[in-house]
Amino acid sequence: MIMVLLCCFAAVGMSAQELQEIKLKDPNKTRGTAVMKALSDRHSDREYSPQELSLQDLSDLLWAANGVNRPDGKRTAPSAMNRQEIDVYAIRADGAYLYDAQAHSLKPVAKGDYRAAVAGSQHFAKTAPVCFVMVASLDKLGDSKAEHTRIIGAVDAGIVTQNINLFCAAVGLSTVPRASMDQDELRKVLKLNDSQLPIMNNPVGYPKK
């Protein structure tokens, strides 16, 4: 019986190891429309092509969302007191990944398709090839249980979400900002602690033809 359990644990470990880090491409900072055109074009889409995002689109989107844009490590999205408490997770058909802004790569977190957990009761969201989940590490802001801290985390998550919205509008991708999701399931999948709060998410894909 013990041998069977050990084999099961080993299989789970090997399965997790199959998910590899995704090294992203350098962001193309010259693409997209003018800011005013992107604002004019911004709208919510709830239908997506099943086609996976190209590595360049994935790379550019993550950098636009909350990437490093200065030598001192500061980001495309401002944060209160520069605490940089917002983490961006990419939930794909093959697994869940954490965006490492410093390395500009996606670190594997969990193997498997967890887009349904992001979708919750709104099933359209799980049809997007990738869903981005914004998680606030509230302990970086102070008392993680304080209402003021949670408000600041929500504001900063909203800024990252808007970066995603504007990038998608500028390059012709489809997305919609959402707050509903299965938080309990995502906490388990993403291995979050009590001070980490999933706040917003954006399913993203190419327009459905």
Side-chain angles (χ1 to χ4, degrees):
M1 182 65 178
I2 294 175
M3 287 299 296
V4 172
L5 289 173
L6 288 174
C7 289
C8 289
F9 288 139
V12 170
M14 290 177 63
S15 177
Q17 291 172 8
E18 291 174 6
L19 205 60
Q20 300 296 315
E21 177 181 357
I22 299 175
K23 184 61 181 175
L24 300 169
K25 291 188 174 185
D26 290 339
N28 179 357
K29 301 173 186 176
T30 64
R31 68 183 299 197
T33 62
V35 172
M36 295 299 279
K37 181 69 164 57
L39 287 166
S40 176
D41 291 341
R42 198 225 61 81
H43 64 282
S44 295
D45 283 317
R46 293 173 175 81
E47 292 186 312
Y48 314 97
S49 164
Q51 178 185 350
E52 285 191 21
L53 293 190
S54 70
L55 183 59
Q56 189 66 63
D57 283 338
L58 183 64
S59 303
D60 292 352
L61 189 153
L62 283 162
W63 181 84
N66 202 19
V68 174
N69 67 350
R70 281 159 284 179
D72 60 4
K74 292 182 179 179
R75 308 289 190 87
T76 57
S79 60
M81 301 168 286
N82 192 37
R83 295 299 171 85
Q84 300 181 8
E85 83 281 10
I86 304 301
D87 286 317
V88 181
Y89 289 83
I91 315 299
R92 306 177 353 141
D94 62 337
Y97 299 80
L98 171 62
Y99 177 50
D100 182 336
Q102 299 296 331
H104 193 52
S105 69
L106 284 172
K107 308 290 188 183
V109 176
K111 185 178 175 62
D113 188 351
Y114 302 103
R115 289 174 295 174
V118 182
S121 61
Q122 297 180 334
H123 301 298
F124 74 86
K126 67 182 179 183
T127 66
V130 59
C131 297
F132 298 95
V133 179
M134 276 52 75
V135 174
S137 294
L138 299 177
D139 55 341
K140 292 183 179 181
L141 297 170
D143 181 358
S144 62
K145 298 186 182 302
E147 181 181 5
H148 180 63
T149 302
R150 296 170 72 91
I151 290 173
I152 292 174
V155 169
D156 287 348
I159 294 170
V160 175
T161 296
Q162 184 68 333
N163 280 3
I164 294 173
N165 296 333
L166 290 177
F167 174 83
C168 289
V171 302
L173 294 175
S174 295
T175 192
V176 57
R178 305 172 63 249
S180 61
M181 61 190 106
D182 186 339
Q183 289 210 7
D184 290 339
E185 180 64 18
L186 284 174
R187 282 182 176 280
K188 291 188 289 186
V189 169
L190 303 180
K191 304 174 177 66
L192 303 181
N193 61 42
D194 290 342
S195 68
Q196 291 178 289
L197 180 65
I199 297 180
M200 298 287 293
N201 66 81
N202 278 76
V204 176
Y206 297 111
K208 186 175 182 179
K209 296 179 180 179

